[in-house]
Amino acid sequence: MDFNMKKLASDAGIFFTRAVQFTEEKFGQAEKTELDAHFESLLARADSTKNWTEKILRQTEVLLQPNPSARVEEFLYEKLDRKVPSRVTNGELLAQYMAEAASELGPTTPYGKTLIKVAEAEKRLGAAERDFIHTASINFLTPLRNFLEGDWKTISKERRLLQNRRLDLDASKARLKKAKAAEAKATAEQELRVAQTEFDRQAEVTRLLLEGISSTHVNHLRCLHEFVESQTTYYAQCYRHMLDLQKQLGRFPGTFVGTTEPTSPTLSSTSPTTAAATMPMGPSVADLAPPGEAALRLEEVAPPASGTRKARVLYDYEAADSSELALLADELITVYSLPGMDPDWLIGERGNKKGKVPVTYLELLS
């Protein structure tokens, strides 16, 4: 008990001395040992790394899970060391609703068939999103979180200890200045040597930890590359799924822009505008031919006398079949539209080659 009381009194005395030293420094009544410029630079870089890592981590969590309530729930499960329950993605939930709607409204009707096809695509999108979230969490979020909860806590602890050693050192310097008697000066000098040794040792430990931030940057750089790769894979999967869906919908006989029941006069007696509103949306030029007439081959389709335009290609495009024209980014091609053609597509010409091209890949020029 006596030992504990002495230790408690000693700790209280040290705490009081540090508090006095800190307060006098704040009011400019005591000198403060300054760290060298390189050490201050290491501290600033460490603080900046910690702050930006927190912001990037939080915003990535928002990107992967926009629902704040779900993020709080996942956080609580992690803190309780419990497995986070599997959560249905928004795409999978939409797929479920569409499939149920098709079942109730008629799976053999044009609308029901389309709902089923779209539901299948949305389910695949949801599965791709789930894989992306899982991969990004492991390869990107976990390393960032480990740094904040591991390395950074160690650095913070050693920095606080360095601050205490620095206060002890400056308090010893102040006592030496105030000492008058030879015995008091000798005691103060001995305390100063001990305080200086402990401060130097702690400064070296802290410096080594701060220099380790460079390794942290290298690790986070690798994780960032992996995050980009997983994101690229995810969006590529989404694009492929939607491209497949678009082609499937184009082959559906009952997929129309307007009504599925023809209520207007025949195409021969209607204007081009009326015909375009009731034409089936198909991916091939053959669908553009009037009923009862043989479809023209693409190479036989002549461009209109007026209405052709130049277009710059924005991205590379790989033709899905012989009716489409492959594109290279930044090349210039001639484009035009045909009556009743799907507005998302144009006819593109490059030299003696001709084919359908998606409008979203083009920048139309005057």
Side-chain angles (χ1 to χ4, degrees):
M1 178 63 71
D2 291 340
F3 173 78
N4 291 338
M5 290 299 297
K6 289 180 180 179
K7 185 178 184 301
L8 181 61
S10 175
D11 292 344
I14 293 174
F15 177 80
F16 178 76
T17 301
R18 290 171 180 171
V20 171
Q21 178 66 28
F22 182 80
T23 303
E24 290 180 349
E25 288 176 358
K26 288 297 182 181
F27 286 98
Q29 299 173 354
E31 296 182 3
K32 176 182 177 181
T33 299
E34 299 293 342
L35 300 169
D36 61 76
H38 176 64
F39 202 101
E40 292 287 357
S41 176
L42 291 176
L43 288 172
R45 186 178 65 155
D47 287 334
S48 182
T49 299
K50 178 258 185 183
N51 292 336
W52 284 112
T53 300
E54 283 182 333
K55 291 181 180 179
I56 293 173
L57 173 65
R58 286 197 297 267
Q59 192 56 38
T60 305
E61 289 175 337
V62 172
L63 173 68
L64 299 180
Q65 177 51 266
N67 188 334
S69 299
R71 291 200 304 274
V72 171
E73 181 182 351
E74 292 173 0
F75 174 79
L76 293 177
Y77 272 100
E78 290 177 359
K79 289 301 179 182
L80 296 174
D81 291 329
R82 297 176 60 184
K83 183 179 179 181
V84 179
S86 179
R87 191 183 305 276
V88 177
T89 64
N90 292 327
E92 291 171 326
L93 187 59
L94 177 59
Q96 177 183 336
Y97 290 164
M98 286 184 170
E100 292 175 356
S103 177
E104 184 170 335
L105 300 177
T108 59
T109 65
Y111 182 39
K113 291 180 180 179
T114 303
L115 277 173
I116 293 174
K117 289 295 181 182
V118 176
E120 292 173 351
E122 293 295 337
K123 186 176 181 179
R124 289 192 290 269
L125 290 176
E129 181 185 3
R130 183 189 302 279
D131 292 340
F132 167 58
I133 293 174
H134 178 71
T135 303
S137 297
I138 294 176
N139 296 338
F140 190 59
L141 290 184
T142 298
L144 298 187
R145 199 175 286 118
N146 287 343
F147 164 72
L148 294 173
E149 298 178 356
D151 293 350
W152 181 252
K153 286 187 176 181
T154 301
I155 292 174
S156 299
K157 176 183 176 182
E158 297 301 329
R159 284 177 67 177
R160 287 192 299 269
L161 190 55
L162 177 63
Q163 170 75 347
N164 291 336
R165 294 289 182 260
R166 203 268 310 159
L167 290 172
D168 294 341
L169 174 63
D170 289 336
S172 297
K173 291 178 180 179
R175 281 194 296 270
L176 179 60
K177 285 184 178 181
K178 295 176 182 178
K180 301 298 182 182
E183 185 178 351
K185 283 186 177 182
T187 302
E189 288 174 352
Q190 177 62 23
E191 292 178 353
L192 178 59
R193 284 192 295 270
V194 173
Q196 184 70 58
T197 300
E198 292 182 349
F199 171 78
D200 292 341
R201 184 186 299 114
Q202 185 59 36
E204 180 63 15
V205 171
T206 308
R207 182 184 64 80
L208 291 175
L209 288 173
L210 293 174
E211 289 177 346
I213 291 294
S214 296
S215 299
T216 298
H217 287 184
V218 173
N219 183 43
H220 287 185
L221 174 61
R222 177 184 58 80
C223 297
L224 186 60
H225 278 286
E226 292 181 355
F227 175 70
V228 171
E229 289 298 324
S230 62
Q231 200 168 30
T232 301
T233 300
Y234 168 57
Y235 286 121
Q237 289 175 337
C238 292
Y239 173 76
R240 288 196 299 270
H241 293 327
M242 295 311 297
L243 190 62
D244 291 342
L245 175 62
Q246 188 180 43
K247 291 178 180 179
Q248 290 180 44
L249 296 183
R251 289 196 297 268
F252 254 78
T255 306
F256 287 81
V257 176
T259 176
T260 58
E261 296 292 333
T263 56
S264 58
T266 60
L267 287 175
S268 59
S269 62
T270 58
S271 65
T273 304
T274 305
T278 58
M279 286 289 289
M281 294 179 62
S284 64
V285 176
D287 292 333
L288 304 177
E293 297 184 12
L296 293 176
R297 291 183 299 171
L298 191 60
E299 58 269 18
E300 297 176 349
V301 176
S306 61
T308 60
R309 299 178 65 178
K310 289 291 184 181
R312 184 176 70 86
V313 178
L314 299 176
Y315 322 102
D316 291 348
Y317 177 74
E318 183 178 351
D321 52 48
S322 59
S323 69
E324 298 180 2
L325 182 66
L327 303 174
L328 295 176
D330 295 326
E331 71 171 326
L332 294 177
I333 62 174
T334 301
V335 296
Y336 53 89
S337 180
L338 296 176
M341 191 172 181
D342 184 345
D344 292 333
W345 293 82
L346 292 172
I347 302 298
E349 288 188 356
R350 184 202 309 109
N352 59 353
K353 294 185 178 181
K354 183 184 302 184
K356 293 193 308 168
V357 293
V359 175
T360 54
Y361 280 71
L362 304 174
E363 177 186 4
L364 298 179
L365 307 176
S366 57

